[in-house]
Amino acid sequence: MVNEIDSESLRRRLADGDGVMLVDIRTPAEVAQGAIPSAARLPMHLLPLRMSELPRDRDVVLYCRSGARSYQACAYMMQQGYDRILNLRGGIIAWARHGYEIAAPES
């Protein structure tokens, strides 16, 4: 079972500066349409090669467009021994639906 976080809780945790790491696993083309500010970018297809770059000692939240791919990515990372992985339920769509900030990607 994958642990999930909703947009409201994530926004609160980011605002409180509690050390959660946010990772956007969408493709570069999707990210070009906008992203959640402060999110690191790690396309899903590179996750098996680069997940060692993600911390194991703090919560890491993965997100995609709707939450489906990031859910699968979380399940994969849990199989690899990551136990502080969370899926953003509803993805960036849910985030935007709440009116939270979406920024143009940094180049």
Side-chain angles (χ1 to χ4, degrees), residues 28-101:
E30 289 175 299
V31 171
Q33 298 172 16
I36 299 174
S38 78
R41 285 183 257 170
L42 179 55
M44 185 173 179
H45 72 278
L46 295 178
L47 200 55
L49 301 173
R50 294 184 46 202
M51 80 173 128
S52 63
E53 298 171 20
L54 300 177
R56 289 179 178 262
D57 61 347
R58 64 181 172 141
D59 289 347
V60 176
V61 177
L62 303 184
Y63 81 90
C64 64
R65 181 176 175 274
S66 68
R69 283 176 289 168
S70 52
Y71 187 96
Q72 295 301 320
C74 286
Y76 172 75
M77 290 190 66
M78 290 172 65
Q79 290 171 348
Q80 306 307 309
Y82 284 79
D83 58 359
R84 296 191 65 179
I85 283 290
L86 299 157
N87 180 47
L88 176 59
R89 186 181 309 117
I92 197 169
I93 291 174
W95 179 268
R97 205 173 277 147
H98 283 90
Y100 300 149
E101 183 181 1

Side-chain angles (χ1 to χ4, degrees), residues 4 13 18 24:
E4 294 191 295
R13 288 186 67 180
D18 81 348
D24 187 336

